[in-house]
Amino acid sequence: MVANAADSVSRWEFYMKNVAFILLILSLSTTSGCSWLGWGDEETVEDDTAGYTEKDFYEKIQSSLNANNWSVAISNLQLLESQFPFGKYAEQGQLELIYAQFKSGDHEEAIGSADRFIRLHPQHPNVDYAFYVKGLSEISQSSGFFDNFIPTDNTKRDIGSAREAFATLTELLSRFPKSEYAPDARKRLVNLRNNLARAEIHVANYYFARGAYLAAANRGRYVVENFQQSPAVPDGLAVMAQAYNILEMQELADNAVRVLVANYPEHPSLDAMGNFDYDKRLLDRENSLLGKLTFGLIDPVQPPAFDSRHIYNKVAREAGSTSDDGKKQSRSIWSRLTFGLMD
């Protein structure tokens, strides 16, 4: 009986010792950062830069930038500013922080850093660079992740960032017309302007679908008045003609048609005689699924919609594949499924 009790006590002590040993190992692994597993080998930026001079910081930052190690560069640039806010490299470091944040894809932070630099150093000789990178960041915000892989239409998205980019680059050109970034900014402004105009046409088409014809007419007029020479102007005139005709404001509709015929006679809403076809549906040329299933007996009427980019938009026209005789070829289903990799 005594022996059995002694054995039980011995087993219990053995068990408790094992538990204590396991807890000790876990405690040590936690406090040491699990370095015995290979974790935590990477030292923090603060440890790496302990005792660094301003020049040491800047040289390390340049090394990170040249290696495209944006996260380390950003951390060191922020430390440089906090430890040497009035140093020799302070202002240059702020500019490089904007660049590193832009390259890392953190566009919101890049815009904030650019705004801060412009506010603190409005007379800096390189403040035009802050405007330029801010504009690029705002343009990038208006694009999606899959834009580089899948054909998308940015003009159907929220254009708030595009408007901000347009304002930023416009201010850049206004204040620094001879800046080295001015030529590229002008090209980007043209593209932004065309996208903003096309977005207005999309809104007008939406208003047609909702039966808000006066609102559609106002959008068309806004494009014609504010985005002259953009590829969306012909559709703006067509929107005006269609909307005013529905509203029984025929004089205004006829005026829009006359301007359209005189300047854009090849617009698809016009027939060979130059007459505006008020019943033509420009986006939904093919029968709907319901129309196909019923062999055309039942086909819901589509609201007016205008999109003539395949004619007037140089980018869209050049992007389309063409045959030897210049006619646009339609892509196969297999090509669409593989994003053009196989056809």
Side-chain angles (χ1 to χ4, degrees):
M1 190 76 175
V2 174
N4 290 338
D7 290 341
S8 297
V9 171
S10 177
R11 285 196 299 270
W12 175 253
E13 289 177 349
F14 178 77
Y15 173 75
M16 291 303 296
K17 287 180 180 179
N18 287 338
V19 170
F21 181 70
I22 294 172
L23 291 176
L24 177 62
I25 293 177
L26 291 176
S27 177
L28 290 175
S29 65
T30 302
T31 56
S32 63
C34 299
S35 59
W36 61 285
L37 291 176
W39 305 342
D41 291 338
E42 183 180 353
E43 296 181 357
T44 62
V45 174
E46 289 81 1
D47 293 337
D48 288 343
T49 58
Y52 267 34
T53 65
E54 184 183 9
K55 184 178 181 181
D56 293 334
F57 255 121
Y58 194 72
E59 290 177 351
K60 183 176 180 63
I61 289 167
Q62 294 305 310
S63 176
S64 298
L65 292 174
N66 292 333
N68 298 336
N69 195 344
W70 310 120
S71 60
V72 173
I74 290 170
S75 299
N76 283 324
L77 284 164
Q78 291 171 339
L79 284 174
L80 173 66
E81 183 176 4
S82 65
Q83 296 187 25
F84 305 95
F86 305 105
K88 177 182 178 181
Y89 302 104
E91 295 177 359
Q92 182 62 29
Q94 292 173 15
L95 287 171
E96 291 178 348
L97 176 62
I98 300 170
Y99 172 76
Q101 288 171 334
F102 169 72
K103 294 295 289 184
S104 70
D106 195 348
H107 304 301
E108 186 173 351
E109 288 295 327
I111 293 170
S113 297
D115 282 333
R116 180 170 175 269
F117 186 89
I118 293 168
R119 184 177 66 254
L120 295 177
H121 313 287
Q123 303 302 322
H124 193 278
N126 293 324
V127 70
D128 58 333
Y129 178 77
F131 276 104
Y132 178 66
V133 180
K134 178 187 176 184
L136 295 183
S137 298
E138 290 167 337
I139 291 174
S140 298
Q141 278 190 324
S142 65
S143 303
F145 173 78
F146 294 103
D147 285 2
N148 294 327
F149 310 100
I150 303 174
T152 57
D153 188 355
N154 289 337
T155 61
K156 292 184 178 181
R157 296 176 178 169
D158 179 20
I159 58 174
S161 296
R163 291 185 186 278
E164 293 171 356
F166 189 87
T168 298
L169 295 181
T170 299
E171 186 175 0
L172 168 63
L173 292 178
S174 175
R175 292 181 56 179
F176 311 99
K178 296 183 180 180
S179 168
E180 62 179 301
Y181 311 108
D184 185 67
R186 289 190 182 93
K187 294 178 182 178
R188 295 180 184 275
L189 273 176
V190 171
N191 185 60
L192 285 169
R193 188 170 180 269
N194 292 343
N195 288 345
L196 291 174
R198 178 54 53 185
E200 295 293 334
I201 298 299
H202 289 319
V203 175
N205 290 334
Y206 170 78
Y207 283 145
F208 274 127
R210 302 292 294 178
Y213 305 120
L214 181 58
N218 290 337
R219 291 286 179 164
R221 188 176 71 249
Y222 181 80
V223 170
V224 173
E225 294 176 352
N226 295 278
F227 297 99
Q228 295 182 14
Q229 298 181 350
S230 72
V233 168
D235 287 331
L237 291 167
V239 165
M240 293 172 62
Q242 182 78 60
Y244 286 136
N245 176 264
I246 295 174
L247 294 169
E248 298 182 354
M249 304 171 71
Q250 199 57 44
E251 183 177 356
L252 293 176
D254 292 340
N255 290 338
V257 171
R258 278 195 293 270
V259 177
L260 184 64
V261 172
N263 294 277
Y264 308 99
E266 68 276 19
H267 194 275
S269 63
L270 301 173
D271 60 21
M273 302 300 294
N275 298 315
F276 192 93
D277 187 351
Y278 293 104
D279 297 324
K280 192 167 186 177
R281 305 295 179 257
L282 300 179
L283 287 182
D284 300 301
R285 297 184 181 87
E286 299 180 359
N287 293 332
S288 66
L289 178 60
L290 183 59
K292 292 179 179 179
L293 292 175
T294 60
F295 303 101
L297 296 177
I298 302 176
D299 200 2
V301 176
Q302 299 295 329
F306 301 91
D307 191 345
S308 59
R309 280 177 289 181
H310 62 288
I311 298 176
Y312 299 106
N313 192 325
K314 182 179 180 181
V315 175
R317 185 170 64 249
E318 292 179 350
S321 58
T322 55
S323 59
D324 294 337
D325 60 358
K327 294 182 180 179
K328 187 175 180 180
Q329 293 181 337
S330 59
R331 295 170 58 190
S332 66
I333 296 178
W334 183 244
S335 175
R336 295 179 185 275
L337 290 175
T338 59
F339 308 115
L341 296 178
M342 298 182 181
D343 196 357

